[in-house]
Amino acid sequence: MDIFENVKSNISMRSVAEAYGVKVNRHNRGLCPFHDDRHPSMLVAEDHYHCFACGAHGDVINFVAELTGLRPYEAAKQLAAQYGLQEGIPPSPEIQLKKRKLAEAQQLRNRERLCFSVLSDFRWLLIRWKDRYAPKDPDEEWDEHFVEACQKLDQVEYQLDLLLEGTQEEKALLMDTLLRSGKLAELQERLKQEKMEGNYGKEKSIAG
């Protein structure tokens, strides 16, 4: 294992970003140090960073190299020294355990992003239906799209609030319910079908 692979495999992007002064919020965003960022526009994932404002992108080595002016090899050596890694020597059991925990955390975040994306798309669709199919006359029979929007919109917004503001236990329970029950997959298929039938609208993409 060379120094580049060793560093990138065993040091998380978040830990490096925070070590170099980037405060990462609960949504994995921070102020980008590569431009005059006034609102957190840099995504800090476990294995990379990406700024949606200036386009800066890379891994832990790129981050330190760009921030300090070091060459990539020198940046990798600096990180290896800071985190106690030795070139050519496999990581310790402690580091391997940390790596597994980081991978599990990343998997959890991926699940959370998927659930949030699908629920957000469905919320948008329900809002559209509630407006488009609202009865124009008190005696008019309610359209099925309007009925569904009235029935489900509050629940979907509550689920989105949980994903944004809930405890880790609440989030985990909701995601487990949506994924294990197949409800999320059904919802994804429903959204795709609505798009095919022209009920979704061209201006909004469907989560895949």
Side-chain angles (χ1 to χ4, degrees):
M1 178 180 291
D2 65 26
I3 190 170
F4 290 98
E5 184 181 353
N6 201 8
V7 166
K8 289 189 286 186
S9 297
N10 295 293
I11 304 177
S12 77
M13 185 65 245
R14 179 169 185 144
S15 69
V16 172
E18 291 180 335
Y20 282 81
V22 176
K23 184 177 180 181
V24 183
N25 64 26
R26 63 184 299 173
H27 303 299
N28 302 317
R29 296 291 186 92
L31 295 176
C32 178
F34 302 113
H35 75 283
D36 184 18
D37 196 9
R38 299 185 179 182
H39 303 284
S41 59
M42 186 172 74
L43 170 68
V44 181
E46 287 303 322
D47 61 351
H48 72 279
Y49 64 93
H50 178 79
C51 179
F52 294 96
C54 71
H57 179 90
D59 54 34
V60 288
I61 297 173
N62 302 132
F63 182 84
V64 173
E66 289 295 324
L67 201 60
T68 62
L70 295 172
R71 291 178 299 170
Y73 180 67
E74 295 299 323
K77 286 179 61 178
Q78 179 169 299
L79 283 167
Q82 289 174 336
Y83 286 83
L85 302 178
Q86 292 180 286
E87 187 173 358
I89 299 178
S92 67
E94 291 79 10
I95 292 179
Q96 292 182 27
L97 177 60
K98 182 178 179 180
K99 184 179 178 181
R100 285 196 297 271
K101 289 183 177 180
L102 289 174
E104 291 171 359
Q106 181 63 46
Q107 183 179 33
L108 184 63
R109 278 189 287 273
N110 289 341
R111 294 173 63 199
E112 186 175 331
R113 281 195 291 267
L114 174 62
C115 291
F116 189 85
S117 176
V118 174
L119 289 174
S120 293
D121 279 345
F122 190 47
R123 173 183 176 274
W124 184 92
L125 179 62
L126 293 175
I127 290 174
R128 181 183 178 88
W129 283 356
K130 193 171 183 180
D131 178 66
R132 173 180 288 184
Y133 298 105
K136 305 298 188 296
D137 185 276
D139 298 323
E140 180 182 343
E141 183 177 354
W142 285 12
D143 185 276
E144 61 180 10
H145 297 92
F146 179 76
V147 173
E148 182 173 3
C150 292
Q151 291 175 339
K152 297 181 177 179
L153 186 56
D154 285 346
Q155 180 189 22
V156 172
E157 290 183 337
Y158 172 72
Q159 291 172 331
L160 286 168
D161 285 342
L162 271 186
L163 290 176
L164 283 174
E165 305 293 342
T167 65
Q168 289 302 320
E169 290 76 15
E170 290 172 332
K171 293 180 182 181
L173 179 60
L174 174 58
M175 290 186 289
D176 190 63
T177 300
L178 291 172
L179 291 165
R180 289 184 180 275
S181 67
K183 291 183 182 298
L184 195 74
E186 292 176 5
L187 192 52
Q188 286 178 290
E189 191 61 35
R190 171 79 184 282
L191 288 167
K192 291 177 181 178
Q193 187 64 34
E194 293 295 340
K195 182 180 180 181
M196 290 175 59
E197 294 177 0
N199 294 324
Y200 196 86
K202 298 179 179 179
E203 66 271 31
K204 180 73 174 178
S205 62
I206 299 296

